[in-house]
Amino acid sequence: GAAPSTPATDFLAIYATTGGAPAFINDAGTTGTLASHVSATSWTPSLRFGGASVGMTFTTQIGRYARMGNLVKFEATLVLSAKGSSTGAATIVTLPLAAATVAGLVVPFPVRLYSGSTITAGNQVYATVTSGGTTLNLYNHAPTAAVATLLDSNFGATTTLFVSGSYITSGY
């Protein structure tokens, strides 16, 4: 069949062709195969303490992401070889694409810390990205305590960090 009329902004629609094979149309009215609307590539995430990374080095610092329409799926692995001297709140910068701007939106992602972390067993570690943001803020939540910002003191010289998730970005 024919492509439907252009869908709403920031959207990727699927429709069936005459032969029954799926086809896609984006908000600009461009039709094509799934491969023509999906991009997958690497990115380099960086860990910061208090916004800096003085003397910090990594044995592994890799991220991958795929974008389909305005949906971004990402994963990152950071393995410290030296924590450096920066102090303060732990963040991961910079996500490959900014999160959509939606008032009050906060999107959480699970985080795993290994090798030298001072996080108590049973605590939940997670990251959030806020509306329009490209920075992951890291948090520690103990079962019987309030949520606390993850700090440089929660990391050892060789801590391994894994984070993955998906979020909506603006534009297509």
Side-chain angles (χ1 to χ4, degrees), residues 117-144:
S117 165
T118 62
I119 301 298
T120 303
N123 288 13
Q124 294 178 350
V125 178
Y126 64 94
T128 64
V129 63
T130 55
S131 175
T134 59
T135 298
L136 292 175
N137 300 296
L138 301 174
Y139 298 97
N140 177 20
H141 187 201
T144 58

Side-chain angles (χ1 to χ4, degrees), residues 11-122:
F11 195 81
L12 183 64
I14 303 170
Y15 66 98
T17 61
T18 303
F24 299 84
I25 184 170
N26 67 15
D27 60 328
T30 305
T31 60
T33 64
L34 178 60
S36 68
H37 291 289
V38 175
S39 62
T41 191
S42 62
W43 61 285
T44 305
S46 296
L47 181 64
R48 300 279 189 265
F49 297 132
S53 59
V54 176
M56 187 180 294
T57 58
F58 301 89
T59 56
T60 303
Q61 185 180 14
I62 186 75
R64 298 265 316 147
Y65 76 97
R67 177 180 180 168
M68 187 169 104
N70 60 356
L71 177 67
V72 178
K73 168 71 175 132
F74 75 95
E75 56 192 17
T77 301
L78 297 169
V79 181
L80 287 168
S81 54
K83 187 169 105 170
S85 60
S86 296
T87 60
T91 58
I92 297 173
V93 299
T94 301
L95 286 172
L97 299 163
T101 302
V102 179
L105 180 68
V106 177
V107 182
F109 308 103
V111 174
R112 297 285 185 236
L113 291 177
Y114 301 97
S115 308
S117 165
T118 62
I119 301 298
T120 303

